[in-house]
Amino acid sequence: MLGGISIWQLLIVLGIIILIFGTKKLRNVGSDLGGAVKGFKKAVNEDEDKTDEAKPQAQVRHDETDTPNNTYDVEAERKPESSDERK
């Protein structure tokens, strides 16, 4: 089992770790580790959702030779101004 490590040896090592760090410290480390794993899973799922929802915008082709000028139809939006920026 586990490369020659028996269950008794694992229990002895666990007992020594509990004596050194204490159960409260180990409980805190366990909860911190669990929170980190939950946060990582949530971030991965949110990232996958964003890539699924992201749709490419209209593409502009430059290889058309029949158009004499390079005019593109675009829509601009004005950024809302705050009163603090003008002062």
Side-chain angles (χ1 to χ4, degrees):
M1 179 179 163
L2 297 175
I5 299 175
S6 70
I7 189 73
W8 294 108
Q9 291 171 335
L10 288 174
L11 288 174
I12 291 170
V13 169
L14 180 63
I16 292 170
I17 290 174
I18 289 174
L19 286 174
I20 292 174
F21 294 109
T23 56
K24 185 176 180 182
K25 183 88 166 182
L26 291 176
R27 193 176 317 129
N28 289 342
V29 169
S31 63
D32 290 345
L33 183 63
V37 170
K38 277 185 181 180
F40 178 74
K41 286 182 181 180
K42 183 178 177 183
V44 168
N45 289 335
E46 286 177 357
D47 189 39
E48 288 176 355
D49 292 342
K50 286 181 183 177
T51 57
D52 292 343
E53 294 174 0
K55 295 179 182 177
Q57 295 182 357
Q59 297 179 355
V60 177
R61 294 181 49 188
H62 294 285
D63 58 351
E64 297 176 2
T65 57
D66 58 341
T67 57
N69 58 6
N70 292 332
T71 304
Y72 302 109
D73 187 20
V74 296
E75 185 177 326
E77 295 180 6
R78 182 173 294 268
K79 180 180 169 183
E81 295 180 16
S82 66
S83 60
D84 295 335
E85 290 179 349
R86 297 198 151 221
K87 292 181 180 180

